[in-house]
Each structure stands twice: as structure tokens, then as C-alpha cells.
């Protein structure tokens, strides 16, 4: 398949240094979790707590405005020049298949599957799934939560990819017949649920793949049915979204996963029909190629994603599918893949994943592994063998794993152990790659206004000795009342108190500023001492003059968490650490042993004098909102410190994994102010 050689459009260089285009729109999608996510999503209503993204001081904001004027072309959606529709369509490769793979790409894959042991194994697994599908009932029109058809759309898509690829590899007509049954059933649906447009986009994608990959198997009458469905249910609505005036087209101006999924999904329909529906397809593609630049700029500079690891996956998946199909169908992605930061995107799952395969699941994320066939595509496109090595280890034999498979590459051995992802303001530290017992810390500042954010500035996770000792509880149920609206910050899992950070002067209000945006003020990674300091003052500006948290990984064996908080009036302060471990606090309250799976970790309270460690349930404080129906977090405890009447507080806790047979613990390090770190 064609994966290389896209020209760097001349406009790209002008993007560098210009402020990202900010849009006062936020929405969310899909629950980011394990291999097969329960797909859920919803639009924001108006007047929600986290909307505009602006993490700037007034001066910086003024400069940004000036920059916006100077970079007017780059700040507008069309900053990377996109040719008019007729020029786009003039590049079309006639014939099918042309989405993601050509006839010869499939033929080559068939040969590789016969010889490469990895591909052979994945093919066997895919075939088992295909055989199982033959007897499964077709998908039904089901909106189980009253809003989303998305799990149906995703199932239809997955089946079209699986059956289509298996037919390409094996030529068995039963796959074709089964694929038709699935499509025919979805043709009869009353609609593809455009009010929740992800559902429409993913279903259009499913039909595009079914139509294109099995084109030579369909009768002309079948093709006509599929074409009409794509046009009437998908493409026309996508064009209407870009023209404006629909109630569900806001995603065309959004900067997050919805943009990539909706443009990418409908874009697949447009590319499938570009020869027979040139006006609709051309108009959609020209608009989509401009619009998708908005979220793509959010990868800069280091490839991270502020919606958390699960949405990194959803966003990059559709982003790559669209770019890959543009290349196979038109021979170019019009320079989109060279938007700054996009080449780095594959670094994010590598670093955000700890030694147990669990992610640092900030924002609305589950901690399950990121399985991402697009890592193969990114690996080949940007010559990053480590991306391919990552996916080879976690892949679940997705059809796109087979299609984009890349062998070779040494994995992570040459990569530095630590990384700071700027703009997302996320840091990860570890003691080793490829060692299940390694020490791993994920730590973040970041922007509480980010789509899908939790109030988790300053929070961290910690793995060591094969155990996740310090955990993020992840998202709660998306269908809870006001979860994406006015009640968002009443839910424990989304509040700061549900994270591993500090709470100042607790009460019913949001316990960090929902508009707060915090930077990693210092980051230094040496082998004996790796540190990051988050300036959390913007998160607690109502309560404190200054709030900083430093995390230091000492000798790659111990983790020091040090908070420095100063206020004009005495504060009440809570410090929380959520853990699935059992906790035994020493009699003097100055240390505790965490135990899990026969392993131990010691927590030692180094400062302030007089404070004590205690154990609490993972439940709201008495002064916090107590919404019914929220997750009960059974099996999770928290280690807590409570300090009252503090004006100038240094809180320091040392976390030391205790390997079996380790001799008596070494004395704790002396404390120094964060300003001396
Ligand atoms: Zn969280």
C-alpha cells in the first residue's frame, strides 16, 4: 500500500510559531478503555464549565492576539492551503479497492500472510472471528442509553473490515454474503442517528469499506443500494454540517476527537464515491481537509493529547485512517501529516503506558492498554520503528493490524526513560523499559478546560514491583445526570478529591478551578534524580497565593512527593492517594505500609511535623456533593493527610517500594525547598 511520499505543502512552515486556533466548543466521545470500548458520547450543552481553551497570562494573551493577526492565515482553519474541490477530485485513482489498500496491496498482504509468522497468527485469529461471525445475528437499531447508536455503528464497521479483509485473503463467498446481510440490515434502520454524529460517521465508514473492499463482489443493484445509503444517510448530512445550520454540525469547528472521527468517517464515504458523486464528495473533502487541521494542531509539539490516553487512540485512529485513505485514493494527504507534532503522536502511548501495560489514565480514561493499529502506519510514515514495536506487543489482530503491519525495529531500547509532553503538561518517569517490576510515575499539570478533563491537576499514578500502587479511578458513567454539563464537578471521580492531589478549604464547589491551567514549571531527568515541578497555583488561586507540587524519582527507586502551599489566611488542607492496596498505618501515624499481591510499599510522612497519615474510603468528603448513582469505588482506599490552620505548608511524602529480602531501609533524603530542586 502507498504510505510514503506525500509532499510537504508549502504552507506548513508558516504554521510554526503561530498560536493554535481556539474554538469555544467542546464535546466528548466514546469511553476510552480496553480493547473493545463501550462507545458512548454526548455533546456539551451551552454554558458549560470548561469551554474555551486559553492558558495564557494577559500579556501572553495580548501577544497571542498580535500573533493571531500576524498569522491570520495560519490561525484560520485553512492555514494549510487546500486546493478547490475539482483539483482534489482530479487526483482520484479510479477503480476499487482504493480505501486504505489497493488491489496490489491486498495481493502483497496475502503473500506476506503466508510467510510471516506474526501475520500468520493474526490471520488465524481473524479467521476464527470471521467464522464465528457467519452464525451471528445481524446488528439491530439499538440506542440503549437513549442517545447513542455508536456501539452498533462500531460493530457494523468492525464486521465490514473483518469480513472484507478475510474475503480478500481467502476468497470465500460466505464472507461476502455475511457482509451483505449486515449492510442490508443497517440500510433498513430509520436513520444513522445524526443527532449524535459520531454514530453517523462510523456507520458511513462501515459502508464505505463494505462498498469499496468488496466492490467486485456486489451486483450493480447492491452497489446502488450501498451508494444511496452512503449519500442519503452520511455524505449529504456531512456536507450540511460543514455548510452550517444543522444542530449537530458543531464538530466541524471543534478541536478534539469528534472532529477527526466525523471528518474521517464521512470522508471515507466521500472517497468511496468520489467518482460517482463528485459534487458532494468534492465539497465534503475540501471542507474536511481544512477542518481537521484544528484538532491536528493539538498534537504539537510532542504528540500528546489533552483528552487523555483513550481519546488519543480514538482521535489518532480516525485521523490516520483518513490520511491513509486520502493517500491510497488520491495519492496525497495534502501535507496534513506534516502538521507539527503529528509525527510525534506515536510517542504518547509508548510513554503513557507503565510496566504493567496500564496507562496513566488522566481525564475520562480507563487504564487498559492502548491497542492502536495506526502505530504501524505512523511507524512507516515517519520511520519510527519503536512505534511498530509497541503495537506488535499489544495488538489484538485487528484487521488494520494486518493491513499496516510492520516488522523489525528494536523497540524502546534506545529511547530515554523519561519524557515531558509539553502543552498537555504530562510527565512520565520510569526505571527501565521491558521490566514488569520497574518503577513508573505518571504526573500531570495541564488544563482543566480540556475536553474530557477531570479536576486532576497535580495528580499522579505509580507502579512498582508489578503493582499499581497509586491509581486514577478513571471516568464515571457518561449517562449520569449532567455528566457533560452543569453537574460534572459534583462527581467524585471527576473532582480533585477523587485524585491523588491536594484539596484546599474543602466545600461543595469544584475543588480545583475548572478553568485553571497549570504548567510543568521545571523538568529535569537525570539517571540518579529525575524531577518535575508543577505550578498548580492556577488550580487553587481562590484558596492560596501559591501551590506547587514537585515529584522526584530518587535513584530510580524512591519517589518523593512534595507540596508547597502558601496562603494569606489559614487553610484546611487534605492530601490524598488512592490505592487498591491494603494499608497499615504505623502507630505514630508517620509511616504506612501498603500491601498488594504479596508486595509492599512504604509511605513515609516527612513533613510537616505533627501531621499523621490516615486511611479513608474513596468517598466524597462530608462537605462535598453526594450525587446518587455515582460509582462507589469499592476496593479502593485512600491514604490521607489532614492539616488545619496552615498558612505556609510543606507536605512531603516519600514512597518506597520494598523489594523482597531488601535490607533495612536507607534513611530518607533531606528535604530542600522546591525552589532549590
Ligand atoms: Zn481521573
Amino acid at each position: 500500500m502507498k504510505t510514503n511520499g506525500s509532499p510537504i505543502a508549502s504552507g506548513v512552515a508558516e504554521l510554526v510559531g503561530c498560536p493554535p486556533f481556539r474554538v469555544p466548543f467542546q464535546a466528548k466521545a466514546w469511553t476510552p478503555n480496553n480493547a473493545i470500548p463501550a462507545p458512548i458520547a454526548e455533546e456539551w450543552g451551552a454554558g458549560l464549565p470548561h469551554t474555551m481553551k486559553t492558558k495564557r497570562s494577559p500579556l501572553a494573551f495580548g501577544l497571542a492576539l498580535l500573533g493571531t493577526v500576524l498569522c491570520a492565515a495560519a490561525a484560520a482553519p485553512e492555514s494549510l492551503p487546500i486546493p478547490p474541490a475539482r483539483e482534489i477530485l482530479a487526483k482520484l485513482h479510479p477503480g476499487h479497492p482504493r480505501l486504505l489498500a489497493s488491489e496490489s496491496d491486498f495481493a502483497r498482504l496475502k503473500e506476506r500472510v503466508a510467510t510471516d509468522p506474526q501475520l500468520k497468527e493474526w490471520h488465524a485469529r481473524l479467521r476464527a472471528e470471521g467464522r464465528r461471525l457467519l452464525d451471528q445475528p445481524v446488528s439491530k437499531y439499538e440506542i440503549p442509553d437513549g442517545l447513542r447508536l455508536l456501539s452498533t455503528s462500531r460493530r457494523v464497521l468492525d464486521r465490514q473490515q473483518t469480513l472484507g479483509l478475510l474475503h480478500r485473503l481467502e476468497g470465500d463467498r460466505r464472507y461476502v454474503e455475511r457482509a451483505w446481510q449486515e449492510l442490508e440490515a443497517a440500510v433498513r434502520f430509520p436513520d444513522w442517528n445524526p443527532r449524535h454524529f459520531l454514530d453517523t460517521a462510523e456507520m458511513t465508514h462501515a459502508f464505505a469499506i463494505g462498498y469499496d473492499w468488496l466492490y467486485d463482489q456486489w451486483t450493480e443493484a447492491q452497489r446502488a443500494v450501498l451508494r444511496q445509503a452512503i449519500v442519503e444517510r452520511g455524505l449529504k448530512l456531512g456536507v450540511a454540517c460543514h455548510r452550517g445550520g444543522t444542530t449537530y454540525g458543531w464538530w466541524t469547528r471543534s478541536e478534539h476527537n469528534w472532529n477527526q472521527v466525523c471528518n474521517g468517517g464521512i470522508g471515507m464515504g466521500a472517497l468511496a464515491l468520489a467518482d460517482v458523486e463528485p459534487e458532494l464528495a468534492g465539497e465534503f473533502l475540501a471542507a474536511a481537509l481544512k477542518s481537521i487541521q484544528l484538532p491536528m494542531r493539538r498534537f504539537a509539539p510532542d504528540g500528546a493529547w489533552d483528552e487523555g490516553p483513550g481519546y488519543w487512540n480514538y482521535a489518532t485512529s480516525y485521523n490516520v485512517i483518513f490520511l491513509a485513505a486520502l493517500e491510497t485514493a488520491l495519492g496525497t494527504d495534502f501535507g496534513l501529516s506534516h502538521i507539527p507534532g503529528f509525527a510525534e503522536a506515536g510517542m504518547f502511548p509508548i510513554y503513557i503506558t507503565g510496566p504493567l501495560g496500564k496507562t496513566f489514565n488522566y481525564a475520562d480514561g480507563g487504564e487498559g492498554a492502548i491497542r492502536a493499529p495506526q502505530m504501524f502506519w505512523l511507524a512507516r510514515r515517519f520511520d519510527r520503528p519503536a512505534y511498530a514495536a509497541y503495537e506488535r506487543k499489544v495488538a489484538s489482530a485487528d484487521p488494520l493490524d494486518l493491513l499496516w503491519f510492520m516488522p523489525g525495529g528494536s523497540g524502546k531500547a534506545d529511547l530515554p526513560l523519561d519524557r515531558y509532553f509539553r502543552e498537555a503538561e504530562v510527565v512520565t518517569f520510569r526505571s527501565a523499559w521491558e521490566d514488569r517490576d520497574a518503577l513508573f510515575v505518571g504526573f500531570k499539570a495541564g488544563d482543566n478546560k480540556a475536553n474530557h478533563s477531570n479536576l486532576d491537576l497535580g495528580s499522579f499514578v505509580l507502579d512498582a514491583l508489578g503493582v499499581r500502587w497509586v491509581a486514577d479511578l478513571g471516568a464515571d458513567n457518561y449517562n449520569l445526570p449532567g455528566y457533560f454539563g452543569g453537574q460534572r464537578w459534583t462527581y467524585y471521580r471527576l473532582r480533585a478529591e477523587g485524585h491523588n492531589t491536594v484539596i484546599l478549604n474543602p466545600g461543595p464547589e469544584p475543588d480545583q478551578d475548572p478553568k485553571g491551567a497549570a504548567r510543568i514549571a521545571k523538568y529535569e531527568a537525570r539517571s540518579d534524580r529525575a524531577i518535575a515541578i508543577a505550578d498548580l497555583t492556577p488550580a487553587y488561586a481562590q484558596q492560596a497565593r501559591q501551590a506547587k507540587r514537585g515529584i522526584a524519582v530518587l535513584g530510580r527507586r524512591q519517589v518523593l512527593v512534595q507540596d508547597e502551599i502558601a496562603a494569606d489566611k489559614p487553610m484546611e488542607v487534605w492530601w490524598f492517594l488512592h490505592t487498591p492496596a491494603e494499608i497499615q498505618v504505623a502507630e505514630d501515624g508517620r509511616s504506612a505500609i501498603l500491601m498488594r499481591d504479596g508486595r509492599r510499599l512504604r509511605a513515609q510522612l516527612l513533613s510537616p511535623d505533627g501531621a499523621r497519615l490516615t486511611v479513608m474510603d474513596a468517598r466524597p468528603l462530608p462537605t462535598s456533593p453526594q450525587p446518587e448513582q455515582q460509582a462507589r469505588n469499592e476496593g479502593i482506599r485512600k491514604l490521607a493527610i489532614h492539616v488545619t490552620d496552615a498558612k505556609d505548608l510543606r507536605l512531603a511524602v516519600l514512597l518506597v517500594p520494598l523489594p523482597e529480602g531488601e535490607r533495612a531501609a536507607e534513611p530518607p533524603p533531606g528535604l530542600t525547598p522546591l525552589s532549590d530542586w
Side-chain angles (χ1 to χ4, degrees), residues 405-459:
F405 176 69
M406 185 174 129
S410 58
K412 307 160 195 157
D414 329 336
L415 295 177
L417 293 170
D418 312 312
R419 193 158 170 115
Y420 163 35
F421 290 96
R422 293 167 291 173
E423 292 303 320
E425 303 300 308
V426 173
V427 173
T428 64
F429 299 115
R430 74 189 71 219
S431 60
W433 296 110
E434 317 296 354
D435 172 3
R436 220 184 130 72
D437 281 355
L439 177 71
F440 170 78
V441 177
F443 174 46
K444 79 183 287 283
D447 191 344
N448 280 338
K449 298 182 298 302
N451 194 44
H452 278 290
S453 71
N454 296 176
L455 300 181
D456 60 5
L457 308 191
S459 194

Side-chain angles (χ1 to χ4, degrees), residues 485-501:
Q487 282 144 274
R488 185 167 180 82
W489 308 130
T490 67
Y491 293 112
Y492 180 80
R493 287 187 168 198
L494 308 189
R495 288 168 66 83
E497 63 178 322
H499 288 88
N500 310 308
T501 188

Side-chain angles (χ1 to χ4, degrees), residues 10 143 290 314 500 519 648:
S10 58
I143 303 190
K290 293 171 189 164
Y314 198 30
N500 310 308
R519 294 280 185 188
D648 205 345

Side-chain angles (χ1 to χ4, degrees), residues 19-90:
F21 184 65
R22 305 289 186 182
V23 183
F25 263 90
Q26 296 293 320
K28 69 253 36 63
W30 189 67
T31 189
N33 225 314
N34 296 309
I36 302 182
I40 36 183
E42 181 173 270
E43 298 178 20
W44 292 113
L48 290 159
H50 37 342
T51 49
M52 295 252 294
K53 286 176 170 291
T54 315
K55 41 184 160 189
R56 287 155 205 261
S57 68
L59 173 64
F61 188 67
L63 289 172
L65 277 179
L66 178 65
T68 303
V69 174
L70 295 175
C71 297
E78 60 269 41
S79 53
L80 184 64
I82 298 301
R86 82 191 123 70
E87 279 177 47
I88 294 172
L89 294 181

Side-chain angles (χ1 to χ4, degrees), residues 379-548:
R380 189 171 286 120
R381 159 50 71 97
F382 300 113
D383 190 22
R384 304 287 184 96
Y387 296 1
Y390 169 92
E391 179 61 11
R392 282 202 305 275
K393 277 192 74 169
V394 298
S396 56
D398 185 282
L400 297 182
D401 281 320
L402 278 90
L403 205 57
W404 289 334
F405 176 69
M406 185 174 129
S410 58
K412 307 160 195 157
D414 329 336
L415 295 177
L417 293 170
D418 312 312
R419 193 158 170 115
Y420 163 35
F421 290 96
R422 293 167 291 173
E423 292 303 320
E425 303 300 308
V426 173
V427 173
T428 64
F429 299 115
R430 74 189 71 219
S431 60
W433 296 110
E434 317 296 354
D435 172 3
R436 220 184 130 72
D437 281 355
L439 177 71
F440 170 78
V441 177
F443 174 46
K444 79 183 287 283
D447 191 344
N448 280 338
K449 298 182 298 302
N451 194 44
H452 278 290
S453 71
N454 296 176
L455 300 181
D456 60 5
L457 308 191
S459 194
F460 69 105
V461 300
L462 187 157
D463 297 339
L465 306 176
V467 173
R468 173 146 291 189
W469 297 102
V470 183
D472 189 302
L473 301 173
D476 209 327
N477 181 348
Y478 282 15
N479 293 318
L480 285 168
Y483 187 88
F484 293 115
Q487 282 144 274
R488 185 167 180 82
W489 308 130
T490 67
Y491 293 112
Y492 180 80
R493 287 187 168 198
L494 308 189
R495 288 168 66 83
E497 63 178 322
H499 288 88
N500 310 308
T501 188
V502 291
I503 309 301
L504 310 184
N505 298 337
E509 299 302 313
D511 47 6
Q512 284 186 353
D513 183 347
K515 293 182 175 157
R519 294 280 185 188
I520 298 293
K522 182 165 187 180
Y523 164 79
E524 206 170 86
R526 299 197 315 251
S527 59
D528 59 331
R529 183 182 161 85
I531 61 140
I533 299 173
D535 183 354
L536 302 175
T537 311
Y540 301 104
Q542 301 278 347
Q543 297 91 359
R545 197 170 63 240
Q546 179 198 285
K548 291 187 177 176

